[in-house]
């Protein structure tokens, strides 16, 4: 019933993902959500994020930020990490993910998505046929509409974890 919302993987942090292994597996593009995936909601890129993107580029990854936020917020973060970006993406529509792959010159077989929300990030990436990695939110402070969705996400994650144990 909830399978279309299930991530391929569920991990603690984007910063703990083994991108070297993913590169060896053939992945060449990574699409990232920003808020609560890479930094707390609304925060600029910090030193950890800057070093993270330098590392990903050295490995050979193309990266794209995919956000439902307006351009000033996305650009503020991107000015420090210098990758492709799409603002007002309309997640969970597939079109944003497809545009991100076009910007990176990748396709769904070699692209993965990393984000913190099930109903926008993961659902949209699943619809686009991407490998998905759900991360735990970095910070508990969120906008009210996201707080409400988190309650529903707990239900989906309950069934996801139950399926993973089988």
């Amino acid at each position: 019933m909830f399978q279309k919302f299930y991530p391929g993987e569920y991990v603690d942090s984007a910063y703990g993902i083994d991108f070297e292994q993913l590169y060896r597996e053939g992945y060449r593009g990574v699409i990232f959500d920003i808020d609560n995936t890479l930094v707390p909601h609304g925060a600029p890129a910090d030193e950890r994020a800057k070093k993270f993107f330098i590392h990903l580029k050295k490995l050979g990854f193309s990266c794209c930020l995919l956000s439902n936020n307006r351009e000033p917020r996305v650009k503020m973060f991107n000015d420090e990490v210098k990758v492709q970006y799409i603002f007002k993406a309309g997640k969970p529509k597939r079109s944003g993910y497809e545009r991100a792959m076009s910007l990176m010159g990748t396709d769904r077989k070699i692209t993965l998505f990393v984000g913190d929300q099930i109903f926008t990030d993961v659902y949209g990436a699943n619809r686009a046929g991407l490998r998905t990695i759900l991360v735990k939110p970095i910070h508990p402070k969120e906008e009210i509409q996201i707080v409400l969705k988190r309650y529903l996400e707990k239900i989906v994650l309950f069934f996801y974890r139950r399926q993973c144990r089988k």
Side-chain angles (χ1 to χ4, degrees):
M1 178 166 92
F2 293 120
Q3 286 82 358
K4 63 187 171 187
F5 299 111
Y6 290 173
E9 298 166 60
Y10 182 35
V11 300
D12 288 336
S13 169
Y15 299 102
I17 296 169
D18 187 349
F19 284 98
E20 290 86 354
Q21 177 60 37
L22 291 167
Y23 193 85
R24 285 191 296 274
E25 291 174 17
Y27 290 94
R28 297 298 182 265
V30 187
I31 304 170
F32 288 99
D33 175 53
I34 302 171
D35 288 327
N36 255 345
T37 297
L38 298 168
V39 292
H41 186 80
D46 55 18
E47 285 305 311
R48 178 170 72 161
K50 293 175 198 176
K51 289 177 184 174
F52 181 63
F53 280 97
I54 289 169
H55 176 68
L56 290 173
K57 290 175 196 175
K58 282 183 182 174
L59 287 174
F61 280 104
S62 293
C63 299
C64 186
L65 305 172
L66 186 67
S67 177
N68 284 347
N69 279 303
R70 294 186 178 125
E71 187 173 22
R73 192 286 173 265
V74 181
K75 186 178 182 314
M76 173 185 66
F77 184 89
N78 192 60
D79 283 346
E80 300 296 327
V81 300
K82 296 175 180 38
V83 296
Q84 300 287 337
Y85 72 89
I86 297 169
F87 61 95
K88 291 181 85 173
K91 294 183 285 184
K93 288 190 223 170
R94 287 186 300 235
S95 58
Y97 300 87
E98 291 164 352
R99 187 165 164 232
M101 288 184 279
S102 177
L103 288 172
M104 294 187 297
T106 62
D107 61 40
R108 59 185 39 89
K109 293 177 185 169
I110 61 169
T111 306
L112 57 107
F113 179 84
V114 180
D116 71 299
Q117 291 189 54
I118 288 175
F119 299 116
T120 52
D121 296 335
V122 171
Y123 178 52
N126 284 344
R127 292 179 70 212
L130 301 176
R131 179 174 177 178
T132 56
I133 302 175
L134 177 68
V135 298
K136 293 178 182 171
I138 287 178
H139 195 274
K141 185 176 184 270
E142 296 181 297
E143 295 174 337
I144 187 64
Q145 70 271 18
I146 296 171
V147 171
L148 297 173
K149 282 193 277 184
R150 294 287 185 204
Y151 289 107
L152 297 173
E153 285 184 355
K154 287 180 184 180
I155 296 166
V156 174
L157 287 171
F158 170 81
F159 288 103
Y160 168 75
R161 288 184 184 113
R162 195 164 93 182
Q163 178 179 308
C164 288
R165 283 189 288 246
K166 289 181 181 178

